[in-house]
């Protein structure tokens, strides 16, 4: 299908944040093949969508007023004709994956895993129980034309279906569950929020965020984008964290702690090279983990992400730094997480786990000719994604493991032929998959799988057709990096795709809907964005869902709390509608920017710095922070 042209609050596009190809991360290319798009399910919206710029594409300044006469559908007002500049995300050119990750040439041309599927009722309405074991079509995220879909679908092709075994260096098979429980993660919490993904029953119990007397926000501070090193067009600035007093953000070869209200620097951790990735998990005493490069990248030497460190977000101290080897070669890590006092880092070339407090290596996965751990997801549980078998006959194991020993507690084995899987939540365990490469849009999601952590058995499977749902995951590199969804109250909350608004609006809108993780059915609950707004779940707040509303051209963004029982929305923040502020906020798209909210503070940041705006009048920002009084 086609979709409307880029919305007016995303004017003529500029070159993207995505980095050049990293030779250290390349894999042998596979020949691309055409992706199959499923037909729209009965009851679904009529989404006539045109190509959009690629995932990770930055936003340019917005027009300050709508044109005098309508020229077509837009995002809050009629669209003007625009000619995008060439760059990352532009059709026919190399394009970065989610969050600016370099593409692997072979990842997106995989042979189809095409099983027959079936439609489901339109989003927002109750539906029959999903057949747990029947493969289904679909996909989540923004839609692109067929050329870009093939390029971007490299970002994730995943799916899974039922449990199997793996051998760790420190374990051989399963032990009795009573002796190897990973336990709750009372010493871990979600970045910027409370502990874990999990809410309780329905209602607002446990919610921390309250509406202020005046929901209008002001800009607390802005951090200009750093300059990239000579001959390096773009560089990673991934990683941002919140404590009660500090907002911490990765710069170029540093992590800086800012006063979360004033923006003044409280501390700086200098690093020899840029941060490749930061965990979205923190310990109860505000420690987290990062991966970084041992030196600054150059045109001839991009460097590898071999260094793993724990940093203290309150004191600004580097607690320890470690490396690990696979044979005689240092491991270049793709992902890192924290769970149960353990830091676990993984990649296609190996993994390792260390004690948060001491840096002592606790265990490493045993690699073989046929199996290896591709990555880990943390929080309340520690979950490994284990790859076994050869390409086109791959089998993925989703394993609940003991963070202290690496021993497998339970596992869930997938059908053969699935290359990638993303862990949306570790407790309850929810995994995203692209069954048969059917998403076709770079989102990496056609289905969700709800798994019983105690038994490793499938609870239910949820079809998420790409025509209807807008979540996305990066299952190639960053196993737990997903956006547009949240998990709590034993439900999956997911953003729908944009569709035409009501009345005379020329804009697009969408909703958040809920699925029951026990039955796979939609609950019938839906939170509307409102005409010309787009709504994206950010995280759970007790039993409530915190969401960001991306605004039309003439308004500021909003943070809302959605009651987990009634789905009633409460506005917690509304940002200024002045043109300069809107210009910066519009570039922080929820699809690729890092967005954190807590205690009346909203912090939006870029994951890459680039030199693409050099020589222009456009000022780029690394961070913009908002707060209510």
């Amino acid at each position: 299908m086609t979709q409307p042209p880029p919305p007016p609050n995303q004017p003529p596009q500029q070159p993207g944040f995505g980095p050049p190809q990293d030779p250290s991360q390349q894999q042998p290319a596979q020949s691309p093949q055409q992706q199959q798009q499923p037909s729209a399910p009965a009851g679904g919206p009529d989404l006539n969508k045109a190509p959009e710029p690629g995932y990770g594409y930055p936003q340019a300044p917005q027009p300050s007023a709508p044109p005098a006469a309508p020229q077509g559908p837009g995002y809050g007002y009629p669209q003007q004709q625009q000619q995008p500049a060439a760059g990352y995300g532009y059709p026919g050119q190399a394009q970065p994956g989610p969050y600016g990750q370099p593409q692997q040439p072979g990842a997106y041309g995989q042979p189809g895993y095409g099983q027959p599927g079936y439609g489901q009722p339109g989003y927002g309405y109750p539906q029959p129980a999903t057949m747990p074991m029947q493969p289904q079509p679909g996909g989540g995220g923004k839609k692109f034309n067929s050329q870009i879909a093939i390029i971007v679908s490299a970002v994730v092709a995943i799916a899974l279906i039922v449990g199997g075994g793996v051998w760790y260096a420190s374990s051989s098979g399963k032990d009795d569950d009573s002796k190897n429980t990973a336990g709750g993660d009372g010493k871990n919490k979600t970045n910027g929020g409370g502990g874990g993904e999990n809410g309780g029953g329905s209602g607002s119990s446990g919610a921390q965020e309250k509406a202020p007397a005046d929901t209008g926000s002001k800009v607390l501070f802005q951090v200009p984008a750093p300059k990239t090193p000579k001959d390096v067009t773009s560089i990673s600035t991934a990683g941002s964290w919140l404590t009660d007093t500090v907002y911490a953000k990765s710069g170029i070869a540093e992590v800086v702690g800012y006063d979360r209200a004033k923006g003044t620097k409280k501390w700086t951790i200098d690093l020899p090279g840029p941060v490749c990735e930061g965990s979205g998990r923190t310990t109860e005493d505000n420690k987290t983990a990062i991966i970084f490069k041992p030196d600054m990248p150059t045109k001839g030497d991009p460097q590898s992400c071999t260094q793993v460190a724990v940093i203290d977000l309150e004191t600004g101290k580097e607690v320890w730094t470690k490396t690990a080897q696979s044979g005689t070669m240092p491991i270049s890590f793709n992902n890192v997480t924290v769970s149960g006092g353990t830091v676990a880092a993984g990649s296609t070339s190996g993994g390792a786990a260390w004690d948060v407090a001491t840096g002592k290596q606790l265990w490493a996965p045993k690699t073989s000719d046929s199996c290896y751990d591709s990555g880990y997801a943390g929080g309340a549980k520690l979950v490994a994604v284990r790859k076994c078998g050869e390409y086109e006959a791959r089998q993925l194991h989703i394993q609940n493991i003991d963070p202290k020993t690496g021993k497998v507690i339970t596992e869930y084995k997938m059908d053969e032929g699935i290359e990638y899987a993303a862990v949306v939540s570790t407790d309850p365990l929810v995994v995203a998959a692209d069954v048969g490469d059917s998403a076709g849009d770079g989102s990496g999601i056609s289905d969700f799988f709800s798994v019983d952590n105690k038994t490793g058995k499938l609870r239910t499977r949820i079809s998420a057709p790409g025509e209807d749902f807008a979540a996305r995951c990066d299952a190639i590199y960053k196993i737990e990096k997903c956006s547009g969804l949240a998990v709590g109250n034993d439900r999956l909350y997911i953003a729908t795709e944009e569709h035409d608004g009501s009345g005379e609006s020329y804009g697009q809108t969408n909703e958040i809907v809920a699925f029951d993780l026990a039955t796979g059915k939609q609950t019938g609950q839906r939170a509307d964005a409102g005409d010309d707004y787009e709504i994206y779940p950010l995280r759970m707040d007790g039993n409530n869902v915190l969401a960001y509303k991306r605004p039309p051209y003439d308004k500021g963004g909003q943070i809302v709390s959605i009651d987990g029982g009634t789905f009633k929305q409460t506005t917690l923040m509304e940002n200024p509608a002045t043109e300069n502020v809107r210009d910066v906020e519009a570039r922080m798209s929820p699809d690729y920017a890092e967005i954190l909210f807590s205690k009346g503070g909203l912090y939006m940041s870029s994951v890459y710095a680039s030199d693409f705006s050099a020589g222009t009048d456009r000022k780029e920002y690394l961070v913009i922070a908002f707060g209510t009084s």
Side-chain angles (χ1 to χ4, degrees), residues 472-557:
R472 59 176 67 245
C473 294
D474 175 5
I476 294 179
Y477 297 107
K478 304 175 183 179
I479 300 303
E480 58 181 344
K481 186 74 76 175
C482 296
S483 64
L485 47 73
V487 172
N489 306 318
D490 208 32
R491 293 170 184 168
L492 168 69
Y493 301 96
I494 183 171
T496 70
E497 269 292 354
E498 296 174 76
H499 55 81
D500 290 341
S502 61
E504 298 180 356
S505 170
Y506 290 100
Q508 300 281 290
T509 189
N510 75 328
E511 299 79 32
I512 292 174
V513 297
F515 286 88
D516 189 304
L517 292 175
T519 66
K521 294 180 181 180
Q522 287 192 33
T523 65
Q525 298 166 306
R526 57 190 293 158
D528 296 324
D531 283 348
D532 306 334
Y533 284 88
E534 294 175 81
I535 190 168
Y536 297 84
L538 295 179
R539 65 172 176 87
M540 299 303 297
D541 175 34
N543 299 327
N544 295 346
V545 182
L546 290 182
Y548 172 71
K549 283 188 176 182
R550 197 170 191 210
Y553 78 99
D554 58 349
K555 291 184 171 64

Side-chain angles (χ1 to χ4, degrees), residues 4-11 63 67 69-82 506:
N9 75 334
Q10 303 176 31
Q71 298 182 15
Y75 185 52
Y77 72 98
Q79 183 80 301
Q80 291 180 322
Q81 289 187 343
Q82 302 175 0
Y506 290 100

